[in-house]
Amino acid sequence: KAGVTQTPRYLIKTRGQQVTLSCSPISGHRSVSWYQQTPGQGLQFLFEYFSETQRNKGNFPGRFSGRQFSNSRSEMNVSTLELGDSALYLCASRRLAGERGETQYFGPGTRLLVL
Amino acid sequence: ELKVEQNPLFLSMQEGKNYTIYCNYSTTSDRLYWYRQDPGKSLESLFVLLSNGAVKQEGRLMASLDTKARLSTLHITAAVHDLSATYFCAVDWSGSRLTFGEGTQLTVNP
């Protein structure tokens, strides 16, 4: 069974630009979550999507947005990039949302560098 | 606001020794996860703990959960070099999002 895939794996952008990251969950998984990992702030929750609806959102500015498609694939977008947005962005999927014991399976991540 | 604290944050140990990583959290929850991350890699699920007193073991790692104390432990028995990695605990308190600890960077020396 294929795991969670993320594209691209590496990205370099400049301040002010925008970026779109893509995540394909494990087949049959309908919930997709996004996390940001930085050395200073650690792992922080961005948002979760289930059945094309955003279920929960973390404490990030509106520049961070996402969406989910009918095939459960998800994208996240960051507009007007800032240097502090440099991070590893991790996508995680699980079969359902809100179920006890549902492990979130993480993808390899997209490493974004903002110059 | 839920806070999850791990200690120690850095752990250097010799092969063959035992040690415990502690994970304290601030809000009642009975869903706790342990993940492992190798340098430059993603997160690998290790354990899911869902009830007070839950204990899970896999190889040289054993995790436990005490929901009354809001404490989980990850015990390492007879460490080997392959266990060198960063270990994260994460609490699911809303059924929707994980709040992670800072991570414990473990180095096992020969």
Side-chain angles (χ1 to χ4, degrees):
Chain A
K1 198 173 190 181
V4 179
T5 58
Q6 294 186 244
T7 57
R9 294 292 310 280
Y10 304 92
L11 208 47
I12 300 176
K13 291 285 188 179
T14 56
R15 278 181 300 174
Q17 287 187 310
Q18 76 164 14
V19 67
T20 299
L21 312 181
S22 181
C23 170
S24 292
I26 292 171
S27 178
H29 286 196
R30 294 166 59 194
S31 167
V32 173
S33 297
W34 289 89
Y35 292 83
Q36 181 197 64
Q37 186 176 26
T38 60
Q41 299 298 317
L43 279 152
Q44 293 185 289
F45 172 80
L46 281 156
F47 26 65
E48 181 188 22
Y49 286 87
F50 179 74
S51 293
E52 301 178 64
T53 301
Q54 187 180 88
R55 284 191 78 234
N56 206 337
K57 189 177 191 302
N59 297 324
F60 280 82
R63 300 184 296 109
F64 291 81
S65 63
R67 59 178 176 167
Q68 187 180 34
F69 301 96
S70 58
N71 61 358
S72 295
R73 190 177 69 85
S74 177
E75 289 181 347
M76 68 163 281
N77 184 275
V78 188
S79 62
T80 320
L81 284 166
E82 300 177 359
L83 296 179
D85 296 333
S86 295
L88 179 67
Y89 289 89
L90 293 164
C91 165
S93 79
R94 52 181 173 170
R95 192 169 55 89
L96 298 173
E99 293 290 319
R100 290 186 82 249
E102 275 269 22
T103 298
Q104 292 193 30
Y105 296 92
F106 284 81
T110 294
R111 191 165 294 279
L112 172 65
L113 176 62
V114 182
L115 302 176
Chain B
E1 180 189 345
L2 173 66
K3 289 187 179 179
V4 181
E5 295 180 339
Q6 289 181 233
N7 73 83
L9 299 183
F10 299 93
L11 178 55
S12 180
M13 55 191 298
Q14 285 188 314
E15 281 190 330
K17 298 293 187 183
N18 305 332
Y19 210 84
T20 300
I21 299 170
Y22 297 89
C23 173
N24 290 91
Y25 54 97
S26 61
T27 302
T28 300
S29 174
D30 60 356
R31 312 181 197 191
L32 190 133
Y33 303 79
W34 283 95
Y35 286 89
R36 166 182 172 149
Q37 187 177 39
D38 291 291
K41 304 287 187 179
S42 188
L43 296 169
E44 174 191 355
S45 175
L46 293 174
F47 300 109
V48 179
L49 303 168
L50 298 177
S51 61
N52 185 41
V55 177
K56 295 277 185 76
Q57 183 165 4
E58 180 73 32
R60 301 175 187 273
L61 300 178
M62 182 173 71
S64 66
L65 178 62
D66 181 343
T67 59
K68 294 178 182 176
R70 298 178 189 169
L71 170 70
S72 180
T73 61
L74 181 66
H75 186 72
I76 303 155
T77 302
V80 293
H81 180 71
D82 285 352
L83 290 179
S84 295
T86 299
Y87 293 85
F88 291 93
C89 63
V91 176
D92 178 355
W93 57 280
S94 69
S96 179
R97 58 193 286 178
L98 295 178
T99 300
F100 284 85
E102 308 97 320
T104 297
Q105 188 175 318
L106 170 66
T107 303
V108 181
N109 303 303

